[in-house]
């Protein structure tokens, strides 16, 4: 039994037209008309795969293939269809479309599973619009945090309003949550978003685990003044403090060459943002990730100490708000063994590797076993219109996923 590679390619080509920027880019923000358009076309494919389809109150698109025993915990697959603002055609999309193709292949071959299978496109995995990701996957598990619906995007729209505009009923979140024990396991196929497979000339990798992300919003407060008249020794320049913190984060993350630790400041908002006024306030995001929790905790302490000393040196005040903090999460050994075995059947000479980026699988890992399949990503480029995985590699990944699903269904 094999998937239909030309059909799978047609899915990608159609989806890449929705929210298209330039020749190969994608901007498909969460909870928007563009994402809804993506859901509509994906829904048509889900129905063709023999599944019933719905959108829940978190904004997740869910397809369900009923099993012989509907009461059994569900085998869940998927990823997300929302994109970064300057993203590519494959991030998240690969996990949804390959899962749909796998179920369609099963359906066309008359396979009626013992347990139900669900394919999900989770809402707002990316997290850039409201500065908090994994919304839909955390939502179904009852793991949303206080104040999340009041978070605003850059246009001042709250998540609450965006969900209402999307057609969701926020008063019925409980109805969309999954009961404890109702998910048997979760499988996610994803492009690697890194260069390991490409450098190794291998199309497929088996994921060992996901690095734990720590996301902060840091606010620095100094004092505005005329750029031409305030003497350097008495300035309280929030921008200088921010610059030193950025350098400090980079030094902390790279202190041991070869470690997989990564640290990033991705955004800076400056007030009052005039070329001839000393910056009074800077708000910046910090992203620190590591597969080793003890090391990440140690580096977090180092960064907090650096922020304290840098702000003291420049007579600044500061605050740190924690947006996301998750431990590294390891894939289930029994699922990894199945994926390895399926790769070996296809003579793929696969390798095992960790994931630096987080995925919806991270949220699901707290309630069920999970496994991930990585597909080669050209030059390791992602979150960029240059992001590319070949349709040949994606078809190979989908066939590995198909074989994995068939074996998992025997459990």
């Amino acid at each position: 039994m094999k998937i239909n590679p030309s059909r799978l390619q047609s899915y990608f080509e159609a989806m890449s037209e929705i929210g298209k920027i330039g020749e190969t880019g994608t901007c498909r923000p969460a909870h928007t008309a563009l994402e809804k358009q993506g859901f509509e076309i994906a829904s048509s494919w889900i129905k063709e795969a023999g599944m019933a389809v719905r959108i829940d109150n978190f904004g997740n698109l869910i397809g369900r293939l009923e099993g012989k025993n509907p009461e059994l915990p569900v085998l869940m697959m998927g990823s997300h269809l929302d994109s970064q603002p300057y993203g590519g055609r494959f991030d998240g999309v690969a996990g949804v479309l390959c899962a749909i193709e796998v179920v369609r292949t099963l359906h066309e071959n008359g396979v009626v599973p013992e347990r139900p299978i669900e394919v999900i496109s989770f809402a707002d995995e990316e997290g850039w619009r409201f500065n908090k990701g994994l919304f839909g996957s955390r939502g179904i598990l009852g793991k949303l945090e206080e104040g999340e619906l009041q978070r605003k995007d850059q246009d001042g729209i709250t998540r609450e309003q965006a969900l209402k505009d999307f057609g969701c009923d926020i008063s019925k979140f409980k109805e969309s949550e999954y009961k404890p024990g109702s998910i048997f396991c979760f499988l996610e196929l994803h492009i690697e978003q890194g260069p390991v497979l490409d450098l190794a000339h291998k199309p497929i990798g088996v994921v060992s685990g996901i690095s734990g992300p720590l996301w902060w919003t840091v606010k620095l407060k100094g004092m505005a003044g005329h750029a031409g008249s305030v003497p350097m020794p008495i300035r309280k320049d929030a921008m200088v403090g921010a610059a030193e913190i950025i350098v400090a984060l980079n030094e902390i993350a790279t202190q041991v060459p070869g470690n997989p630790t990564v640290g990033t400041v991705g955004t800076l908002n400056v007030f009052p943002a005039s070329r001839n006024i000393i910056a009074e306030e800077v708000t910046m995001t910090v992203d620190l990730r590591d597969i080793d929790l003890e090391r990440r905790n140690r580096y977090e302490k180092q960064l907090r100490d650096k922020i304290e000393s840098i702000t003291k040196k420049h007579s600044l005040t500061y605050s740190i708000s924690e947006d996301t903090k998750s431990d590294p999460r390891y894939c289930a050994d029994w699922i990894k063994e199945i994926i390895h075995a399926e790769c070996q059947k296809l003579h793929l000479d696969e390798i095992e590797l960790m994931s630096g980026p987080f995925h919806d699988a991270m949220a699901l890992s707290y309630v069920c076993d999970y496994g991930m399949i990585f597909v080669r990503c050209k030059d390791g480029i992602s979150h960029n219109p240059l992001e590319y995985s070949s349709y040949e590699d994606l078809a190979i990944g989908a066939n590995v996923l198909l074989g994995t699903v068939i074996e998992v269904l025997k459990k």
Side-chain angles (χ1 to χ4, degrees):
M1 198 186 308
K2 292 282 190 263
I3 63 101
N4 184 324
S6 59
R7 183 170 63 204
L8 180 62
Q9 179 173 338
S10 73
Y11 291 168
F12 279 96
E13 289 172 347
M15 189 61 69
S16 70
E17 294 297 318
I18 301 171
K20 186 174 183 178
I21 51 174
E23 286 301 306
T24 59
T26 301
C27 180
R28 199 163 44 239
H31 313 323
T32 62
L34 281 171
E35 188 182 45
K36 182 64 74 71
Q37 195 179 338
F39 279 12
E40 286 168 358
I41 192 170
S43 293
S44 69
W45 302 327
I46 288 170
K47 290 172 184 174
E48 288 169 356
M51 290 182 273
V53 65
R54 71 185 191 277
I55 296 175
D56 73 5
N57 290 306
F58 299 108
N60 298 313
L61 176 69
I62 304 172
R64 181 179 174 98
L65 183 70
E66 202 54 83
K68 294 175 188 174
N69 187 345
E71 302 306 312
L72 282 177
V74 66
L75 190 171
M76 187 179 284
M77 293 185 283
S79 196
H80 61 97
L81 291 175
D82 68 303
S83 80
Q84 286 286 329
Y86 188 62
R89 297 166 286 167
F90 303 98
D91 174 10
V93 175
V96 178
L97 302 189
C98 288
I100 292 172
E101 176 58 27
V102 162
V103 175
R104 186 164 181 179
T105 302
L106 294 173
H107 180 63
E108 288 177 345
N109 282 272
V111 175
V112 180
E114 192 67 31
R115 67 176 70 251
I117 298 175
E118 289 188 352
V119 173
I120 303 191
S121 173
F122 286 109
D124 197 9
E125 187 269 0
E126 293 289 3
W128 64 269
R129 186 179 175 191
F130 298 100
N131 208 20
K132 183 78 174 177
L134 305 182
F135 179 79
S137 49
R138 288 184 300 111
I140 66 167
L141 306 177
K143 301 289 187 183
L144 298 184
E145 298 170 6
E146 191 175 340
E148 284 201 45
L149 296 184
Q150 282 65 58
R151 284 178 172 268
K152 295 180 179 179
D153 67 9
Q154 60 189 11
D155 298 316
I157 299 169
T158 63
R159 192 187 294 272
E160 179 176 350
Q161 187 60 52
L163 284 167
K164 287 177 180 176
D165 293 345
F166 202 70
C168 301
D169 187 341
I170 63 168
S171 70
K172 295 182 177 177
F173 276 176
K174 271 291 175 191
E175 294 178 14
S176 295
E177 290 179 12
Y178 281 63
K179 293 176 183 176
S182 64
I183 304 170
F184 177 62
C185 69
F186 180 68
L187 303 175
E188 183 167 4
L189 177 146
H190 208 282
I191 61 169
E192 183 198 346
Q193 299 181 284
V196 176
L197 293 174
D198 197 36
L199 291 170
H201 305 293
K202 297 180 189 297
I204 302 297
V206 182
V207 179
S208 58
I210 302 172
S211 285
L214 175 66
W215 282 9
W216 289 348
T217 298
V218 180
K219 284 188 178 182
L220 308 176
K221 185 72 179 289
M223 187 170 180
H226 198 295
S229 60
V230 180
M232 298 299 284
I234 63 169
R235 291 186 175 197
K236 298 177 182 178
D237 191 333
M239 187 73 91
V240 173
E244 290 191 18
I245 290 168
I246 293 168
V247 172
L249 173 62
N250 191 70
E251 290 173 346
I252 288 167
T254 58
Q255 62 189 277
V256 181
N259 275 357
T261 318
V262 289
T264 308
V265 171
T267 66
L268 284 174
N269 292 317
V270 182
F271 175 83
S274 170
R275 69 187 302 157
N276 64 343
I277 300 178
I278 298 161
E280 178 164 295
E281 188 172 284
V282 173
T283 303
M284 58 200 289
T285 56
V286 171
D287 182 327
L288 179 65
R289 308 188 196 204
D290 207 316
I291 195 72
D292 184 321
L293 182 59
E294 183 182 345
R295 184 169 58 221
R296 195 197 71 189
N297 289 341
R298 190 166 68 249
Y299 287 3
E300 177 187 354
K301 172 70 164 56
Q302 291 175 13
L303 183 57
R304 286 184 182 273
D305 290 346
K306 274 289 188 182
I307 291 172
E308 176 69 27
S309 63
I310 288 166
T311 53
K312 191 172 183 180
K313 180 172 79 170
H314 295 290
S315 301
L316 308 173
T317 58
Y318 73 94
S319 66
I320 299 173
S321 63
E322 195 173 86
D323 302 313
T324 294
K325 188 171 188 176
S326 179
D327 294 351
R329 305 299 295 172
Y330 296 93
C331 295
D333 287 337
W334 69 273
I335 300 178
K336 283 196 303 180
E337 288 168 8
I338 289 174
I339 299 171
H340 275 297
E342 292 308 310
C343 287
Q344 286 155 24
K345 286 178 189 174
L346 296 171
H347 309 292
L348 293 176
D349 190 27
E350 80 290 350
I351 57 174
E352 200 164 298
L353 68 167
M354 57 156 277
S355 173
F358 62 74
H359 306 280
D360 290 301
M362 172 168 274
L364 272 295
S365 72
Y366 287 92
V367 299
C368 67
D369 287 348
Y370 85 99
M372 287 194 70
I373 298 163
F374 268 172
V375 176
R376 174 167 48 190
C377 182
K378 190 175 188 304
D379 299 324
I381 296 171
S382 184
H383 286 189
N384 184 306
L386 295 176
E387 173 184 280
Y388 180 75
S389 287
S390 73
Y391 293 124
E392 291 78 13
D393 285 355
L394 289 161
I396 292 170
N399 276 318
V400 172
L401 181 61
L402 173 63
T404 301
V405 167
I406 290 170
E407 290 303 311
V408 169
L409 287 172
K410 297 175 182 177
K411 301 294 183 181

